[in-house]
């Protein structure tokens, strides 16, 4: 059914079975549909490595950013103080949201190819009364995978609520929300779970969430209210994206069939290593050090001054692959995502085409 494979970090290539779920129209208040929602919420908590007595999954309409904004507007109160750690566009987007909402906040800006300095984060917490820390796990801007376990330790030490945008990593990088001491983990339907776009979700520490009643400055994005309504029997507050939800349930089933997050992480890591090795041979080098690289998406430097990304992009599209432009202002880059229904066999076809494009005999 696919005309081409999307090598982008979402929307990504989904299976035919996932797409087929969307051929049926479903009723939002029917028990059958509501039970799909409840099963999804249960399964999300399970794959986060925890249990429903401690955490709860809240689904929210919209793209991933809507859900990040929902958390920021709903859990950080006027008297609270938020520290945002940013080493990419998605961290900076959180800062923009905090500003518009009017939250008391500070941004620790870090160069895009570096980790935040733990010592500096600790100093910031020592000096000021931060009640919340927010960071992006896999910064999709570059593909860097941030050290959230270490940041979580600092958050815990200073009694700060820990918010993680795990949009492009949840389901594709093994993680245990309790061990990582995350209070609010945010992700969306169209990333590593391999569903289609239309909603996102928050896996929230129930004790913390219970304390946030009345904090939201938005009706549609009120996380607490959304939780109270959806938790009754799986009926969403306001119209739910029924087709997307059904497709997501199928995607979760396929994740389990693949062997769970562990197996998916292994497939993604193999995909990622394969692309990086093959591209290095044609002088396309990764922007992020191997040690800091996520298994999700890689940023590559242009191989030479004559390289024309648009021409390269069109060529690869003819071969059956859609690549992703870079997002850096200071260096010329492009990106290749390796998540979704994509195998090493697919990637070898792409890499052969890249070899040919670069004038290497294959
Ligand atoms: C995809 C993504 C988002 C959300 O982007 P939307 O375009 O709103 O879906 C947020 N953070 C990260 C790290 C992402 O990869």
């Amino acid at each position: 059914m696919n005309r081409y494979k999307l090598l982008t970090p979402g929307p990504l290539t989904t299976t035919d079975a996932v797409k087929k779920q969307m051929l049926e129209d479903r009723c939002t208040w029917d028990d059958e549909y509501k039970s799909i929602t409840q099963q999804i919420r249960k399964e999300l908590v399970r794959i986060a490595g925890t249990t429903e007595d401690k955490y709860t999954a809240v689904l929210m309409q919209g793209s991933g950013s809507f859900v990040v904004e929902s958390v920021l507007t709903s859990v950080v109160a006027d008297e609270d103080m938020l520290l945002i750690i940013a080493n990419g566009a998605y961290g900076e987007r959180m800062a923009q949201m905090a500003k518009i909402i009017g939250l008391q906040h500070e941004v620790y800006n870090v160069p895009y190819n570096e980790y935040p300095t733990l010592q500096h984060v600790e100093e910031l917490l020592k000096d000021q009364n931060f009640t919340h820390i927010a960071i992006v796990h896999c910064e999709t801007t570059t593909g860097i995978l941030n050290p959230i376990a270490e940041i979580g330790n600092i958050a815990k030490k200073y009694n700060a609520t820990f918010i993680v945008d795990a949009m492009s990593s949840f389901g594709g990088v093994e993680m245990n929300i309790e061990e990582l001491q995350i209070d609010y983990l945010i992700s969306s339907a169209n990333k590593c779970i391999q569903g289609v776009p239309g909603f996102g979700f928050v896996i929230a520490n129930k004790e913390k969430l219970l304390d946030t009643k009345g904090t939201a400055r938005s009706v549609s994005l009120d996380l607490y209210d959304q939780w109270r309504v959806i938790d009754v029997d799986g009926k969403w507050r306001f119209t739910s994206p029924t087709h997307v939800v059904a497709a997501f349930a199928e995607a979760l089933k396929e994740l389990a069939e693949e062997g769970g997050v562990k197996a998916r992480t292994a497939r993604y890591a193999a995909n990622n290593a394969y692309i990086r090795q093959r591209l290095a041979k044609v002088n396309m080098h990764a922007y992020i050090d191997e040690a800091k690289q996520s298994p999700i998406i890689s940023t590559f430097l242009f191989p030479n001054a004559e390289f024309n990304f648009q021409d390269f992009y069109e060529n690869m599209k003819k071969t059956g692959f859609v690549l992703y432009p870079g997002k850096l202002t200071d260096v010329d880059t492009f990106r290749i995502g390796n998540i979704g229904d994509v195998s090493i066999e697919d990637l070898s076809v792409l890499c052969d085409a890249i070899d040919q494009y670069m004038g290497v005999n294959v």
Side-chain angles (χ1 to χ4, degrees):
M1 231 193 278
N2 282 322
R3 264 202 309 140
Y4 41 66
K5 295 265 178 185
L6 294 175
L7 298 182
T8 58
L12 37 64
T13 304
T14 57
T15 63
D16 290 349
V18 165
K19 286 190 274 285
K20 265 190 201 132
Q21 282 298 323
M22 296 186 286
L23 294 175
E24 187 180 327
D25 303 311
R26 291 173 174 82
C27 177
T28 54
W29 48 261
D30 181 77
D31 284 344
E32 224 177 296
Y33 177 70
K34 288 190 292 190
S35 79
I36 298 176
T37 291
Q38 295 300 59
Q39 278 159 25
I40 288 173
R41 294 181 59 223
K42 222 185 228 325
E43 183 65 1
L44 289 175
V45 170
R46 195 188 68 76
I47 64 181
T50 184
T51 50
E52 287 177 290
D53 54 327
K54 297 186 200 113
Y55 284 84
T56 186
V58 186
L59 315 184
M60 179 70 78
Q61 297 92 332
S63 86
S65 302
F66 288 62
V67 189
V68 175
E69 192 155 8
S70 164
V71 170
L72 296 184
T73 192
S74 303
V75 314
V76 186
D78 289 342
E79 63 276 18
D80 290 338
M81 179 77 173
L82 167 69
L83 173 64
I84 297 167
I85 302 172
N87 57 352
Y90 293 100
E92 287 164 9
R93 189 174 294 172
M94 287 202 278
Q96 188 190 0
M97 289 168 180
K99 191 171 158 214
I100 297 286
I101 299 165
L103 303 178
Q104 296 194 73
H105 71 285
E106 194 167 308
V107 186
Y108 167 25
N109 283 300
V110 182
Y112 280 19
N113 57 347
E114 286 175 25
Y115 280 164
T117 311
L118 298 175
Q119 201 187 336
H120 185 63
V121 174
E122 178 136 16
E123 276 163 14
L124 286 168
L125 274 106
K126 236 184 245 162
D127 288 353
Q128 289 177 71
N129 258 336
F130 286 107
T131 53
H132 295 71
I133 303 183
I135 188 170
V136 176
H137 187 205
C138 170
E139 230 325 333
T140 320
T141 314
T142 58
I144 197 169
L145 194 67
N146 279 317
I148 55 169
E150 289 80 354
I151 304 286
N153 283 336
I154 299 174
K156 183 82 176 186
K157 187 170 163 191
Y158 291 87
N159 211 12
T161 297
F162 192 31
I163 301 167
V164 176
D165 170 351
M167 204 72 66
S168 62
S169 57
F170 186 73
V173 173
E174 271 203 290
M175 58 180 104
N176 182 303
I177 193 170
E178 263 186 80
E179 281 171 23
L180 292 166
Q181 307 175 91
I182 300 171
D183 296 304
Y184 296 94
L185 181 152
I186 306 152
S187 188
S188 78
N190 61 288
K191 304 248 169 156
C192 297
I193 308 282
Q194 298 185 182
V196 303
F199 74 92
F201 53 89
V202 181
I203 304 172
N205 177 330
K206 265 164 109 166
E207 213 178 287
K208 295 259 180 180
L209 185 58
L210 263 172
D211 255 3
T212 64
K213 186 177 180 179
T215 302
R217 294 86 171 167
S218 159
V219 174
S220 316
L221 297 177
D222 189 328
L223 186 69
Y224 181 90
D225 272 4
Q226 184 85 348
W227 173 45
R228 291 326 272 170
V229 174
I230 210 167
D231 203 47
V232 173
D233 63 355
K235 184 175 182 303
W236 294 46
R237 201 180 54 131
F238 316 152
T239 298
S240 66
T242 48
H243 301 76
V244 179
V245 170
F248 190 72
E250 177 68 24
L252 278 171
K253 207 172 98 194
E254 290 183 357
L255 173 60
E257 283 162 7
E258 185 173 341
V261 176
K262 190 171 181 188
R264 181 154 295 176
T265 303
R267 174 166 64 87
Y268 286 173
N271 281 354
N272 189 268
Y274 181 83
I275 298 175
R276 287 163 58 100
Q277 280 157 19
R278 286 284 307 259
L279 265 60
K281 288 186 191 152
V282 290
N283 204 31
M284 289 174 169
H285 296 285
Y287 172 73
I288 297 294
D289 285 357
E290 200 158 341
K292 298 189 181 79
Q293 170 68 41
S294 69
I296 306 295
I297 182 168
S298 308
T299 296
F300 294 97
L301 302 165
F302 283 11
N304 54 55
E306 293 75 47
F307 184 76
N308 177 333
F309 177 71
Q310 200 52 38
D311 183 66
F312 176 64
Y313 176 91
E314 295 298 341
N315 251 275
M316 293 309 119
K317 192 171 165 187
K318 275 184 208 137
T319 319
F321 298 93
V322 172
L323 307 185
Y324 210 45
K327 213 172 182 167
L328 303 180
T329 47
D330 52 341
V331 252
D332 284 329
T333 56
F334 67 92
R335 289 176 288 175
I336 301 184
N338 56 265
I339 58 179
D341 184 30
V342 178
S343 65
I344 294 267
E345 290 69 45
D346 298 321
L347 297 173
S348 80
V349 174
L350 168 77
C351 291
D352 288 349
I354 294 178
D355 282 353
Q356 214 150 44
Y357 183 86
M358 296 298 290
V360 179
N361 288 324
V362 288

